[in-house]
């Protein structure tokens, strides 16, 4: 009879906490049976290290919810790690397939087995949560076997360049080609880094690089210069971070005579970022002049997009302008987090959460983004488009939040924010719209569970007439929950006698003044209205959580003139070197740089000229000053 002793230790991931050394975490091993098994009562308490004994040939015992089960050869077991104090799982379950004469079990994510006859050997199993680095599974010939010394894996770094070769070794001196690195060669393991050396990489690339939750693979641009991918990127491998490089298309054709979203003969429709894998982070990327900048559907579970600058994506067709910044769909329990991005001058929509009647549009957090003047490249042939737009879902829209975003249309008589657009069924689950600045018209369709608090709705340059209110609301009824959910909002309009609100209940459309709005609905009892010009302004410094030492600074005012000061104390530490650039001039010299000593930074509220789309100059004749937006980076 062979006695099997399985014990586990977990270590924090170096990638999850780069500023701290690995730290051992006490853990409990549990085994969950996937097949059918018998049962017998076992003690309720669980020791800090659970020994499972039995003959593999006859079966192996496992614990599940205080019960003991017996698995026979051919069954699949699942291994996981739990914190002994709380019992909360800190790794995904890892499957083990039992086979005859299995003296050593090697546990692989997703399920596998290994036959070996070497009792006492330790196999390191990488787990898949950000707080755990590895689990040691020790299989020995007797129950006295203990836990071996921790095994730590060293992350490797590989290099690619535009002139790299498949038969090189991936070193800085002999780099790979990007297509070879993205093909996931066996040398690249979870936790490793692939660095893109400076230069231009042309083509549509498909990345199959796959890490783990605790040890994502990192693809990052070189420190000295931002490399450029001229083409497109399709991401098919999970658990990876793509950081600090540029994606664009140099193709000059921006017009087509063919209507629709996939016109034949237009190369630009092939150039975009498509995420088809879970747990991808897109961080600090510059994305411009593609077709659609990015599409992330249901396969892109738990996507994080942070600190990206996205502009001039799309083309002009005979029917309308096409091309969005972020085109998103999501289904719970996955959550997409869109945070700290700057999204401007798409040919169509900035951030679009939309789909057909079968699409799932839920559990998306859009927080601390700056999005402005989307639709401008197609003006005046086509009108300005939405900065943020949501439509569709067939009752599968829910749990959306829009917090602390700055959404501006310089031509403020156009609609910049629209949720649950015309034709969408009523949304379910909470919709939270809070602490945003919205310049331009806004519309909110029927939604069960809407919270709209402490926002600024501004339309300071155009008188809201009866056909173009500053805010349009569709409601199934006027009820007490609306009174509680709408509060603390401020409205800035051009004329005191304007009709800022369009209100539709049960198919009946009414336009209302601010006083009528409050009297009819009971909403915004703590709200206020002001007549432009008004001295109100908004300045925000947005630290980027995934990119320490970086931030977005945005300043908006009705006059958009002069200068303003920004506080960087939540971004930089004393003595840290920094540089600041305007988002319109990322490739130029910094407009401010130095060593941070706690001082506030004075910046201009007037922006330089925006970059023209490749192949199609911007129409600048009707533009007012946009918000001033800067990026802070460490040096």
């Amino acid at each position: 009879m062979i006695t099997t002793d399985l014990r586990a230790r977990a270590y924090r991931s170096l990638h999850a906490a780069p500023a701290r050394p690995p730290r051992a975490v006490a853990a409990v091993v549990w085994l969950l049976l996937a097949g059918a098994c018998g049962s017998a009562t076992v003690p309720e308490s669980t020791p800090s290290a659970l020994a499972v004994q039995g003959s593999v040939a006859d079966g192996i015992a496992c614990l599940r919810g205080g019960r003991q089960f017996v698995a026979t050869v051919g069954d699949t077991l699942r291994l996981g790690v739990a914190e002994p104090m709380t019992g909360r799982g800190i790794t995904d379950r890892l499957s083990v397939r039992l086979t005859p004469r299995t003296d050593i079990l090697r546990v692989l994510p997703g399920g596998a087995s290994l036959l070996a006859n070497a009792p006492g050997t330790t196999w390191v199993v990488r787990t898949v949560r950000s707080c755990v680095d590895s689990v040691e599974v020790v299989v020995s010939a007797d129950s006295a076997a203990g836990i071996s010394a921790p095994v730590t894996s060293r992350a490797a770094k590989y290099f690619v360049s535009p002139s790299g070769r498949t038969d090189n070794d991936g070193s800085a001196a002999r780099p790979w080609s990007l297509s070879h690195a993205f093909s996931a060669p066996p040398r690249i393991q979870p936790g490793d880094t692939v660095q893109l050396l400076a230069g231009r990489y042309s083509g549509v690339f498909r990345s199959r690089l796959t890490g783990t939750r605790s040890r994502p693979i990192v693809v990052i641009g070189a420190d000295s210069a931002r490399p450029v991918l001229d083409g497109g990127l399709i991401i098919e491998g999970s658990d990876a971070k793509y950081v600090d490089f540029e994606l664009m298309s140099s193709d000059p054709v921006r017009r087509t005579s063919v209507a629709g979203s996939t016109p034949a003969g237009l190369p630009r429709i092939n150039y975009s970022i498509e995420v088809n894998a879970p747990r991808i982070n897109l961080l600090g990327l510059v994305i411009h002049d593609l077709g659609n900048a990015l599409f992330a559907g249901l396969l892109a579970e738990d996507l994080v997009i942070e600190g990206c600058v996205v502009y001039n994506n799309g083309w002009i067709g005979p029917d309308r302008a096409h091309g969005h910044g972020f085109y998103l769909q999501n289904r719970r329990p996955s959550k997409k987090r869109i945070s700290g991005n700057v999204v401007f001058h798409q040919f169509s929509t900035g951030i679009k959460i939309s789909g057909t009647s079968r699409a799932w549009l839920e559990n998306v957090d859009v927080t601390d983004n700056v999005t402005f003047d989307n639709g401008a490249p197609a003006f005046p042939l086509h009108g300005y488009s939405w900065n943020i737009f949501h439509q569709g879902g067939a009752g599968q829209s829910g749990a959306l939040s829009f917090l602390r975003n700055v959404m501006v249309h310089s031509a403020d008589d156009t609609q910049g924010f629209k949720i649950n657009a015309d034709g969408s069924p009523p949304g379910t689950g909470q919709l939270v719209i809070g602490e945003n600045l919205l310049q331009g018209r806004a519309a909110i369709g029927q939604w069960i569970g809407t919270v709209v608090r402490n926002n600024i709705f501004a339309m300071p340059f155009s008188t809201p007439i009866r056909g173009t209110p500053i805010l349009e609301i569709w409601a199934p009824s006027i009820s007490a929950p609306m009174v509680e959910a709408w509060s603390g909002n401020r409205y800035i309009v051009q004329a005191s006698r304007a009709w800022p609100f369009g209100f539709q209940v049960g198919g009946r459309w009414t336009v209302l003044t601010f006083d009528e709005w409050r009297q009819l609905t009971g909403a915004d009892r703590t709200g206020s209205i002001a007549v432009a010009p008004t001295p109100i302004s908004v300045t925000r410094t947005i630290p980027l959580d995934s990119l320490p030492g970086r931030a977005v600074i945005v300043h908006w005012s009705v006059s958009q003139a002069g200068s303003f000061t920004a506080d960087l104390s939540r971004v930089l530490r004393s003595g840290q070197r920094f540089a600041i650039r305007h988002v319109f001039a990322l490739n130029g010299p910094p407009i401010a740089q130095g060593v941070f000593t706690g001082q506030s930074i004075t910046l201009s509220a007037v922006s330089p000229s925006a970059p023209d789309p490749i192949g199609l100059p911007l129409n600048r004749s009707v533009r007012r000053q946009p918000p001033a937006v800067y990026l802070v980076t460490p040096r």
Side-chain angles (χ1 to χ4, degrees), residues 7-11 24-27 29 81 127 132 134-136 147-150:
R7 300 181 181 178
R9 284 186 179 179
Y11 301 93
V25 179
V29 172
V81 178
T127 63
V132 182
S134 64
V135 175
E136 293 181 8
I147 301 175
S148 66

Side-chain angles (χ1 to χ4, degrees), residues 144-208:
I147 301 175
S148 66
V151 178
T152 57
S153 58
R154 300 177 65 89
K157 178 183 283 190
Y158 300 99
F159 296 85
V160 301
S161 80
S163 59
R165 293 168 52 96
T166 299
D167 56 358
N168 283 347
D169 60 7
S171 64
R174 301 180 66 237
W176 285 324
S177 66
L178 182 58
S179 58
H180 178 67
F182 277 173
S183 71
R187 289 185 62 183
I188 302 179
Q189 293 293 306
D192 290 347
T193 295
V194 177
Q195 186 166 81
L196 279 62
L197 298 176
R200 184 176 295 268
Y201 302 77
S202 298
V204 176
F205 296 93
R206 189 178 299 269
S207 177
R208 296 184 174 91

Side-chain angles (χ1 to χ4, degrees), residues 49-353:
L50 173 64
V52 181
Q53 298 181 347
S55 167
V56 174
D58 298 330
I60 186 168
C62 58
L63 293 183
R64 182 180 183 182
R67 307 283 293 178
Q68 183 178 21
F69 298 87
V70 177
T72 60
V73 171
D75 285 333
T76 298
L77 305 180
R78 290 183 176 178
L79 171 70
V81 178
E83 295 174 342
M85 294 299 293
T86 65
R88 178 167 53 89
I90 52 177
T91 111
D92 275 2
R93 297 165 183 175
L94 309 178
S95 299
V96 184
R97 184 80 173 173
L98 296 183
T99 57
R101 301 296 301 169
T102 304
D103 292 347
I104 297 176
L105 302 177
R106 183 180 183 184
V107 186
L108 301 176
S113 64
L114 179 74
L115 295 181
N117 293 304
T121 303
T122 297
W123 293 93
V124 176
V125 183
R126 291 193 175 112
T127 63
V128 286
R129 286 276 186 208
S130 60
C131 56
V132 182
D133 178 59
S134 64
V135 175
E136 293 181 8
V137 179
V138 181
V139 182
S140 62
D142 58 77
S143 59
I147 301 175
S148 66
V151 178
T152 57
S153 58
R154 300 177 65 89
K157 178 183 283 190
Y158 300 99
F159 296 85
V160 301
S161 80
S163 59
R165 293 168 52 96
T166 299
D167 56 358
N168 283 347
D169 60 7
S171 64
R174 301 180 66 237
W176 285 324
S177 66
L178 182 58
S179 58
H180 178 67
F182 277 173
S183 71
R187 289 185 62 183
I188 302 179
Q189 293 293 306
D192 290 347
T193 295
V194 177
Q195 186 166 81
L196 279 62
L197 298 176
R200 184 176 295 268
Y201 302 77
S202 298
V204 176
F205 296 93
R206 189 178 299 269
S207 177
R208 296 184 174 91
L209 291 171
T210 303
T212 65
R213 290 181 192 252
S214 63
R215 297 181 64 78
I217 290 175
V218 178
V219 179
I220 190 169
D223 297 333
S224 57
R226 187 170 60 237
V228 177
L229 270 63
D230 187 346
L233 175 60
I234 302 170
I235 298 173
E236 296 180 339
S238 66
D239 300 289
K241 299 180 180 182
Y242 295 82
V243 188
D244 285 346
F245 54 92
E246 184 173 337
L247 299 106
M248 53 80 69
S249 169
S250 58
D251 185 273
V253 180
R254 305 304 289 250
R255 294 177 182 266
T256 177
S257 59
V258 181
S261 299
T262 56
L266 184 71
R268 183 160 267 99
I269 65 172
N270 300 308
Y271 305 141
S272 65
I273 304 171
E274 187 174 325
V275 183
N276 295 324
R279 297 176 297 280
I280 297 299
N281 286 18
L282 305 177
L283 309 174
L285 303 178
V286 178
I287 308 168
H288 65 97
D289 291 286
L290 298 177
N292 284 305
L294 176 140
F295 174 76
L298 301 188
L299 294 176
E301 296 177 352
D302 299 315
L303 173 71
V304 174
I305 309 175
E306 185 172 13
C308 296
V309 179
V310 184
Y311 62 94
N312 287 352
N313 296 286
W315 70 93
I316 294 175
D319 49 346
R320 61 181 176 87
H322 296 263
H324 314 295
F326 303 145
Y327 196 141
L328 307 172
Q329 297 169 359
N330 195 63
R331 184 177 183 179
R332 285 180 282 194
S334 165
K335 174 173 281 190
K336 285 183 170 63
R337 184 170 68 87
I338 315 302
S339 177
N341 303 286
V342 184
V343 183
F344 63 94
H345 289 186
Q346 317 316 312
F347 280 59
S348 189
T349 306
I351 299 174
K352 185 172 185 177
I353 305 171

Side-chain angles (χ1 to χ4, degrees), residues 400-420:
L400 300 179
S401 63
F402 302 89
L403 300 174
R404 301 186 302 278
N405 301 286
V406 174
M407 298 171 268
V408 171
H409 264 324
S410 302
D412 65 4
D413 58 344
T414 55
Q415 203 166 79
F417 179 73
K418 193 166 192 176
I419 302 300
N420 222 30

